[in-house]
Amino acid sequence: MAFPLQGDDTCQSIAPTPLPEPYWVGFSSSLGRELGIALNESKLPADPLWLSVLSGNALANKEHIFSNPIATAYSGHQFGIWAGQLGDGRAILLGDIGPYEIQLKGSGITRYSRMGDGRAVLRSSIREFLGSEAMHALGVPTSRALAVTGSKKPVMRETLETAAVCTRLAPSFLRVGHFEHFAAARQTERLQQLADYLLDIHYQECRDSDDPYLSLFSAMSRRSAELVAHWQSVGFCHGVLNSDNISVLGLTIDYGPFGMMDRFQMDHICNHSDSQGRYAYHNQPQIMHWNMACLAGGMLPLLEKRYSTEEAQQKLQTALEQFPTQYREAWLQRFRAKLGLLEEHANDFELIENLLQLMHQSRVDFTITFRLFAQVQAQADYQSNPLRDHFIDRQAFDAWMQSYLDRLKLEQRSDLSRQNAILNTNPKFVLRNYLAQHAILLAQQDDFSEIQKLLQILENPYAEQPEHEAYSAPPPKELEDIVLSCSS
Ligand code: AMP
Ligand code: MG
């Protein structure tokens, strides 16, 4: 824990800019409890000091819980192009809390703000808050979100909006961009400090290898491959997979114009600013691989201390080439589980791909379709299958279903056991854009109840929760294509 580097070239000591007259917009009581924060009957922190701390006002008020906040320098590739120095332009790392680092996003200008105002608006802060907690509940590795505080302070985007601060937590916020930054600056000592810190704290299993730095690279790349397979399996599109938004711990970070897919479309683009579809759903694995190549470039100077440049490049290249296989294995594991398959058979890849093709052609709802697999009975006539009505090409669907039923015969598993496993793997509730949007519209009118309600539902995504049935529904037609851009 704690940012491992010191010195002016790596970070800036900076207090958050106070947020005028802050109020609670959202608070995760489950995470608060986990951190030992005492709560009142409204499930908010009992001590008013927390509102002050989490809106960035505590230092100005001389309330020292976290006394040495910093913003860190990193660089990165944005949309495939080297962007040079970026850094925490609106995030300030307060310090440590429990097993996490605690960061305020939207808490004012830092040395790295460039042309930005250091702020975040209410809508994007609510999306990050709900998005990260929902992903955590799904079991996807992610930064967490403890709270959102709001203010009437105006913030200019395409229109005039208001400011908010999202408190996010992660064991470390180190990014691929941190490595790229110090590699570009030829500061090998800094790179070594970063890598040693990761080996000591987050990748201890690599410490004793013959070549710890190479091992570290392989482990980071593997975690990233597993992460992106996990994303694909829940229909998550990140939206801005720039190398400065890629965690070196294999966590989902920097929630911007992300989206959970409603209707399944392989080449779905969730970020309106991504006109080329660089970060479309089906491109995410390849893009993550590309980001791992950026990480390899960032770690090259470390390996050059031990090997010739050619040898170092060769070693990193060999490690990098593992990515597609690791991804494919992780993807197969995830999708087999989604279909309730325990065993591994040679044709599973084809079986799953064919299903996704059919889902794409019929633009079926991703979440609902997989959940319906819990109703499939191995012996039943597939024409009576509840899934069938969702597909346009019934003949193709029937053929596929027959191959799935044949595949089920190879499993030593009862219907009941498979069905339960499917219900615990395929969520009923995900943060659909239209649900988030509804909560945001109410919050913009100072009604924050829907945020808490959504949070509570999304904390148990696999439970039936019949009283909240409506929250599992696909979007009404007019809310199918909510446009999200990078503006936040
Ligand atoms: P993002 O696309 O949100 O990951 O941001 C890319 C870079 O721009 C990061 O260095 C951010 O810190 C910075 N940035 C984004 N929005 C702002 C803002 N409103 N003020 C200052 N910096 C910002
Ligand atoms: Mg970012």
Side-chain angles (χ1 to χ4, degrees):
M1 262 180 299
F3 187 64
L5 307 178
Q6 287 177 358
D8 249 16
D9 58 322
T10 73
C11 61
Q12 176 193 20
S13 282
I14 178 145
T17 307
L19 185 70
E21 298 178 53
Y23 41 82
W24 293 113
V25 168
F27 186 81
S28 165
S29 50
S30 53
L31 183 52
R33 267 190 222 104
E34 191 186 315
L35 297 170
I37 298 174
L39 307 181
N40 62 22
E41 61 285 355
S42 311
K43 295 198 193 158
L44 289 168
D47 186 339
L49 180 59
W50 280 107
L51 179 59
S52 177
V53 171
L54 302 187
S55 45
N57 298 357
L59 275 177
N61 296 346
K62 307 261 183 303
E63 298 160 333
H64 294 283
I65 295 194
F66 301 104
S67 54
N68 185 28
I70 60 166
T72 75
Y74 54 81
S75 295
H77 284 83
Q78 298 186 311
F79 289 88
I81 294 162
W82 176 244
Q85 181 181 299
L86 301 164
D88 295 325
R90 55 172 169 170
I92 292 181
L93 184 61
L94 293 181
D96 294 342
I97 184 165
Y100 303 108
E101 289 181 351
I102 178 166
Q103 225 188 39
L104 301 184
K105 181 169 174 179
S107 54
I109 286 180
T110 73
R111 186 194 286 158
Y112 313 106
S113 297
R114 298 175 294 151
M115 306 297 282
D117 59 5
R119 288 299 181 186
V121 295
L122 183 63
R123 72 183 147 79
S124 66
S125 305
I126 292 170
R127 281 172 49 82
E128 175 143 19
F129 174 69
L130 290 174
S132 29
E133 288 308 281
M135 288 284 269
H136 171 72
L138 287 175
V140 183
T142 176
S143 57
R144 303 290 306 272
L146 177 62
V148 176
T149 63
S151 163
K152 293 294 168 205
K153 180 187 163 54
V155 173
M156 195 59 199
R157 294 293 181 262
E158 280 85 6
T159 59
L160 201 59
E161 302 188 46
T162 59
V165 171
C166 181
T167 300
R168 33 182 215 181
L169 311 182
S172 165
F173 282 98
L174 284 177
R175 298 140 195 275
V176 169
H178 280 105
F179 278 90
E180 289 180 287
H181 182 76
F182 296 107
R186 288 268 139 203
Q187 288 178 284
T188 310
E189 213 173 293
R190 295 298 192 198
L191 288 178
Q192 195 167 339
Q193 288 164 356
L194 281 179
D196 288 345
Y197 160 80
L198 287 169
L199 287 169
D200 285 344
I201 309 292
H202 300 290
Y203 288 92
Q204 287 169 3
E205 69 277 16
C206 303
R207 244 290 163 233
D208 297 328
S209 116
D210 290 344
D211 193 337
Y213 294 147
L214 185 61
S215 246
L216 175 64
F217 171 75
S218 296
M220 294 194 283
S221 183
R222 173 184 283 279
R223 279 200 204 175
S224 305
E226 288 168 356
L227 176 68
V228 77
H230 214 152
W231 288 348
Q232 302 304 89
S233 77
V234 295
F236 173 81
C237 296
H238 182 283
V240 199
L241 289 176
N242 294 337
S243 63
D244 54 302
N245 291 340
I246 307 296
S247 153
V248 294
L249 297 191
L251 306 172
T252 314
I253 57 167
D254 280 20
Y255 289 78
F258 72 92
M260 303 296 296
M261 248 191 282
D262 297 308
R263 287 177 177 278
F264 183 63
Q265 190 180 333
M266 296 274 192
D267 51 351
H268 174 72
I269 304 168
C270 64
N271 175 4
H272 188 64
S273 317
D274 180 13
S275 50
Q276 305 290 313
R278 179 179 169 86
Y279 300 137
Y281 173 82
H282 69 317
N283 286 339
Q284 295 191 118
Q286 203 187 324
I287 287 291
M288 187 60 93
H289 190 194
W290 192 90
N291 280 315
M292 291 303 108
C294 293
L295 178 61
M299 292 186 77
L300 182 64
L302 288 177
L303 274 83
E304 283 174 333
K305 285 166 76 88
R306 184 164 167 183
Y307 308 106
S308 72
T309 299
E310 292 70 40
E311 274 178 302
Q313 280 171 336
Q314 192 51 55
K315 284 183 185 290
L316 284 165
Q317 183 62 33
T318 305
L320 187 61
E321 281 166 11
Q322 303 294 308
F323 186 99
T325 315
Q326 291 165 344
Y327 167 72
R328 187 183 154 107
E329 275 170 18
W331 183 90
L332 267 172
Q333 196 191 351
R334 293 268 163 223
F335 276 90
R336 273 197 191 102
K338 287 180 84 65
L339 294 181
L341 304 175
L342 269 182
E343 292 172 27
E344 300 178 8
H345 285 273
N347 294 335
D348 290 349
F349 184 84
E350 206 187 326
L351 181 78
I352 299 163
E353 269 295 332
N354 288 346
L355 171 64
L356 291 174
Q357 283 297 342
L358 288 177
M359 288 174 62
H360 171 85
Q361 282 160 20
S362 292
R363 299 289 195 276
V364 295
D365 187 274
F366 186 85
T367 305
I368 290 174
T369 302
F370 278 108
R371 184 86 176 174
L372 278 174
F373 272 91
Q375 295 181 28
V376 174
Q377 290 176 327
Q379 304 300 331
D381 168 14
Y382 55 76
Q383 303 243 347
S384 64
N385 199 292
L387 275 159
R388 197 168 186 263
D389 292 344
H390 294 252
F391 289 82
I392 295 166
D393 183 349
R394 299 278 155 81
Q395 221 179 343
F397 174 77
D398 289 347
W400 184 86
M401 189 43 86
Q402 188 56 59
S403 63
Y404 175 61
L405 294 177
D406 290 345
R407 174 64 180 79
L408 286 184
K409 293 191 187 116
L410 305 175
E411 298 270 322
Q412 309 292 318
R413 203 178 199 184
S414 69
D415 271 354
L416 190 62
S417 148
R418 187 185 66 257
Q419 288 165 348
N420 280 332
I422 287 175
L423 291 176
N424 288 318
T425 308
N426 297 306
K428 176 166 177 179
F429 301 97
V430 296
L431 182 63
R432 296 173 183 272
N433 272 339
Y434 84 96
L435 296 175
Q437 195 57 29
H438 179 53
I440 288 166
L441 288 175
L442 289 174
Q444 286 169 339
Q445 295 155 37
D446 297 322
D447 175 357
F448 307 122
S449 56
E450 190 65 13
I451 298 174
Q452 283 314 119
K453 184 167 183 190
L454 264 182
L455 179 65
Q456 193 199 324
I457 295 169
L458 293 168
E459 277 177 345
N460 292 297
Y462 301 105
E464 276 301 322
Q465 306 189 57
E467 68 281 22
H468 298 310
E469 197 64 29
Y471 288 79
S472 67
K477 255 259 148 310
E478 67 278 14
L479 297 179
E480 270 186 354
D481 297 305
I482 295 170
V483 172
L484 299 162
S485 71
C486 276
S487 151
S488 60

